[in-house]
Amino acid sequence: MASSGATEQQVLLIGVGNEALRDEGVGLHAIRALAREGLPAHVRLLEGGTGGFGLLACLEGVHRVVVIDAMAMGHPPGTVVIVRPEELRSVVPPDHLSLHGTSLLDVLELARALGLRPPEVYIVGVQPAQVTWGFELSP
């Protein structure tokens, strides 16, 4: 916890996914739920959708970024896994790294090359049950 008068380090929570594909949109649903919680001023929320490289501009000045996304990991539906980017390939099969056209790892690597990658990056992956047409999350 920061001392009185100290500036809080900026935190960005990004929900990504395609909400038209049911559980693939879990990141967006999570951000909307968090928006109702009254978070501290140094925490920003972003519905990233399927933004890919468009998310780069949002990283400037951020100390910690947390990305929430559906991840096909072969676990029971609803399983939540928190990983650092360098651990992602060991959790998710390479052919399942993105349903958005651009891999999250591609975006983070470009951010690193451009000097935009925050010092702390975490990925919260949620195992989907259904990735089919529809807007509701599965139970």
Side-chain angles (χ1 to χ4, degrees):
M1 181 162 219
S3 62
S4 177
T7 303
E8 295 282 351
Q9 294 178 325
Q10 294 299 304
V11 176
L12 176 62
L13 304 176
I14 306 173
V16 296
N18 183 340
E19 69 180 320
L21 293 174
R22 296 197 54 143
D23 294 347
E24 166 56 20
V26 70
L28 302 172
H29 288 277
I31 292 298
R32 291 173 191 153
L34 287 167
R36 295 187 292 269
E37 295 300 315
L39 299 172
H42 70 281
V43 177
R44 289 187 305 138
L45 301 174
L46 175 66
E47 288 187 35
T50 57
F53 291 120
L55 298 175
L56 287 171
C58 301
L59 300 178
E60 191 168 355
V62 174
H63 178 76
R64 178 181 303 136
V65 65
V66 178
V67 179
I68 307 167
D69 195 7
M71 288 184 358
M73 303 170 283
H75 295 303
T79 300
V80 176
V81 176
I82 301 171
V83 296
R84 302 293 304 258
E86 53 275 5
E87 302 167 319
L88 192 58
R89 292 191 198 279
S90 67
V91 175
V92 180
D95 60 335
H96 287 87
L97 279 177
S98 177
L99 295 176
H100 316 298
T102 302
S103 162
L104 178 58
L105 289 177
D106 294 338
V107 174
L108 293 172
E109 285 304 313
L110 182 56
R112 180 190 315 255
L114 295 173
L116 296 173
R117 183 168 161 186
E120 295 182 32
V121 179
Y122 300 93
I123 300 153
V124 178
V126 181
Q127 174 68 48
Q130 298 179 0
V131 180
T132 59
W133 293 112
F135 288 92
E136 303 83 27
L137 292 176
S138 65

